[in-house]
Amino acid sequence: MAVIGTGPAGQKAAIQAAKLGKQVIICERFNVLGGACINTGTIPSKALREAVMLMVGQQSSFSQPRFSRQEMTMDALIYRSHQVIQTEVTLIRDQLLRNDVELFSGSARLTDPHTVEIQHGHTTDVIEAEHIVIATGTCPARPANVPFDATRVIDSDDLLRLRELPKSMIIVGGGVIGTEYACMMGILGVRVILTEARSSLLEFIDSEISEALQYRMRSMGVTLRLGERVDHIEVDEAGMVQATLQSGKHLRADTLLYCIGRQGNTGTLGLENVGLAPDNRGRLKVNENYQTDIPHIYAAGDVIGFPALASTSMEQGRLAACHAFGEPTTSIPELYPVGIYSIPEISMVGKTEAQLTEEGIPYECGVAQYKEIARGQLLGDEVGMLKLLIHEETRRILGVHVIGTGATELIHVGQAVMAFKGTVDYFINNVFNYPTLTECYKVAALNGSNKLRMLNPNNGNGHSDVPKLELKTANG
């Protein structure tokens, strides 16, 4: 197997194939391993977020920072990111070598369906492989009409190279990247204006969670311009960036971060040589087994589009390698969790209320507020919330949505219960450590069960068809 790209999808595809006893090579065009995830995306941005939270000195209260602007330098914030990146790169290299995966440095190009040429300086290596995995990831989209200059008008990669923290920033795009950076900059006291063409941020998440996030962002001083499209962007004579909206409004700031969409890194792969054609965003189409139109050529990770998360990319790479070599697997893509590292963080698994309504599935909500949980009080997080979506008739958990401290960790409890087709009664009848945020599940379950009792007194008492535990003495 030849794997192109050392990001999460490429790593796991290569290691899985090696675990199956196959000969594997992996190619990376940059000087460091890990792809965008380690070098410009997931790890740097999350490390930056942790540095921001540490500098602010509070994990869940969202008032303005208690330190001078002189103490807030991008170098200080990004120093931690560089430490984490170096550690992760070393771990990735060691793991690949430990599994006898051969590393190649250079730009890969397909010359025929089974041949990969790897160009490194004046040297070209030619690899013939039974199977090929394309895991080249994405880069920020850079439209020709946006005057990027790496200092005033920047993309998300450029942001990590800024030397100074700007006093004001326009963020164009209210997706995951734009929202996360808006929160980080906002809590540092940067005057942030975020524009988004849609009527709300993160439209794929639960609407109540999105509304709660928007409320918190506004309380941090972030200005939201929703339902607004940017017509054009320019840098004026004073060096300030001006964005003109289609509505005629003008926005002005020190810096503009453009983060609408990402482009698949497929332009130099020579896909035309094997009969593959990416879409207009450079992404590849795959089937449920991550095969492209050429069955022995697979694609995984961000290069195939949504959800474009490191966690899902890892699983896609593993599943692709397993399918290539006939290794049986079980996958539950409908239960892949989503984690968004905004401030406060957000996570979800399963269906949203909008999806259940559209599908005509009867459900009820059970809600727990962090402020009614002892652990929430101890953490000082009074804005967090956990929501369970419960089927009215079967009492099965259909979705879990969390906003607040530890949301991306907390979600996995609900994910596990859903994977085993559990009902709300599991949370009612179980005992959780006290004080913990996991107690939210019990409070939300009781809240939802009470609502179900009102709808159906005979099936809302927490005593459905859950198997009973029988306790026996030593003599039977």
Side-chain angles (χ1 to χ4, degrees), residues 31 93 101 121 138 194 214 232 253 341 372 374 383 386 436 444 458:
N31 293 328
R93 180 179 293 276
V101 175
T138 60
L194 187 152
Q214 289 169 197
H232 65 273
Y341 290 86
E372 58 186 336
V383 304
L386 182 145
T436 63
N458 295 322

Side-chain angles (χ1 to χ4, degrees), residues 165-336:
L165 190 68
K167 294 180 179 179
S168 56
M169 177 180 284
I170 299 166
I171 298 180
V172 181
V176 173
I177 296 172
T179 298
E180 289 181 349
Y181 279 126
C183 291
M184 293 183 216
M185 295 295 111
I187 203 170
L188 285 172
V190 177
R191 183 172 62 84
V192 177
I193 306 172
L194 187 152
T195 70
E196 167 55 48
R198 292 166 293 190
S199 59
S200 65
L201 302 179
L202 307 171
E203 284 198 333
F204 61 91
I205 70 172
D206 180 85
S207 59
E208 188 174 3
I209 298 293
S210 177
E211 290 168 7
L213 175 64
Q214 289 169 197
Y215 173 80
R216 295 313 311 169
M217 290 175 70
R218 289 188 174 104
S219 74
M220 287 189 283
V222 176
T223 300
L224 300 179
R225 296 287 189 185
L226 304 177
E228 296 270 21
R229 292 183 181 275
V230 173
D231 186 62
H232 65 273
I233 299 165
E234 59 186 355
V235 179
D236 64 21
E237 294 179 356
M240 299 290 285
V241 184
Q242 181 168 289
T244 302
L245 307 182
Q246 288 183 353
S247 63
K249 299 184 184 73
H250 295 87
L251 310 177
R252 198 164 182 264
D254 293 332
T255 306
L256 183 144
L257 171 62
Y258 187 93
C259 47
I260 296 181
R262 293 180 68 84
Q263 190 78 19
N265 295 322
T266 54
T268 61
L269 282 179
L271 297 179
E272 65 280 359
N273 296 331
V274 297
L276 289 178
D279 66 11
N280 62 351
R281 298 294 287 273
R283 298 169 299 195
L284 292 170
K285 182 184 70 174
V286 295
N287 63 15
E288 68 277 7
N289 298 314
Y290 304 101
Q291 295 169 290
T292 64
D293 291 337
I294 300 175
H296 71 273
I297 299 180
Y298 293 75
D302 289 12
V303 76
I304 67 173
F306 186 85
L309 301 169
S311 56
T312 54
S313 296
M314 292 178 189
E315 183 68 354
Q316 290 166 359
R318 184 186 75 87
L319 293 172
C322 286
H323 184 269
F325 297 112
E327 180 73 8
T329 59
T330 298
S331 177
I332 318 174
E334 65 272 17
L335 292 184
Y336 288 172

Side-chain angles (χ1 to χ4, degrees), residues 89-120:
V89 168
T90 300
L91 289 172
I92 292 167
R93 180 179 293 276
D94 290 347
Q95 191 174 28
L96 290 169
L97 294 177
R98 191 167 60 247
N99 284 278
D100 296 323
V101 175
E102 191 173 358
L103 303 179
F104 282 80
S105 176
S107 298
R109 184 171 178 271
L110 303 175
T111 57
D112 67 49
H114 285 281
T115 305
V116 181
E117 283 189 356
I118 303 172
Q119 184 76 34
H120 182 69

